[in-house]
Amino acid sequence: MLPFSVVFKPGVPAHTQVAYAARKAIVAGQLKPGDRFPSVRVLSQELKINPNTAHKVVARLVEEGLLEVRPGVGTLVTSSTQVTKADRQKVLGDPLEQVVVAARQMNLSLDEVQAALTRHWSRLDPDPKSEGD
């Protein structure tokens, strides 16, 4: 079982979508420093993607400094991974852009979008005092 899920969308390379989902899991704390990351074989089998695509995902996350490969141990989330507020905001970039594009297509104002966001936020957050960091 993978510690993240991917719903593949046409027109976006599979490796980009899988890397994004993994990055999001790390930023959200679903994968913590020192946690084992699924092997190329497991990624390939679970997501039904080509092993070369799965290898590309792991290589990309290693290059970004999010994963490290330890011979005899496996692939781990790097212990030096420090998730910042900027990292969390960056992961939200694509979904937020989709919301903005959809809102503009529907001729909604920024105030209307902010009000809708506030309603959804309130519905999911029972503590109105919490603001996140």
Side-chain angles (χ1 to χ4, degrees):
M1 181 105 176
L2 296 177
F4 55 88
S5 62
V6 181
V7 177
F8 290 104
K9 298 174 192 152
V12 181
H15 68 90
T16 300
Q17 294 180 64
V18 176
Y20 175 80
R23 196 177 302 108
K24 185 176 170 184
I26 292 169
V27 169
Q30 293 171 285
L31 284 168
K32 297 181 181 6
D35 284 354
R36 291 182 65 110
F37 191 78
S39 67
V40 167
R41 178 181 292 167
V42 169
L43 281 175
S44 174
Q45 290 172 343
E46 292 285 325
L47 296 173
K48 297 176 178 38
I49 59 175
N50 186 296
N52 291 331
T53 300
H55 178 72
K56 194 181 271 191
V57 169
V58 171
R60 183 174 185 177
L61 295 172
V62 167
E63 183 179 303
E64 291 176 15
L66 295 172
L67 299 179
E68 60 183 318
V69 178
R70 291 193 191 161
V73 175
T75 304
L76 307 172
V77 176
T78 59
S79 55
S80 63
T81 299
Q82 298 293 321
V83 177
T84 65
K85 190 175 192 174
D87 292 330
R88 293 191 301 263
Q89 290 173 341
K90 184 178 176 185
V91 167
L92 279 179
D94 289 340
L96 283 177
E97 184 168 343
Q98 291 172 2
V99 168
V100 169
V101 169
R104 286 186 171 237
Q105 289 172 340
M106 294 184 284
N107 294 316
L108 294 173
S109 70
L110 179 57
D111 288 339
E112 291 169 317
V113 174
Q114 288 173 330
L117 178 61
T118 300
R119 280 192 306 276
H120 284 278
W121 188 279
S122 298
R123 208 177 71 219
L124 296 175
D125 187 4
D127 181 5
K129 295 177 192 163
S130 79
E131 298 176 13
D133 25 285

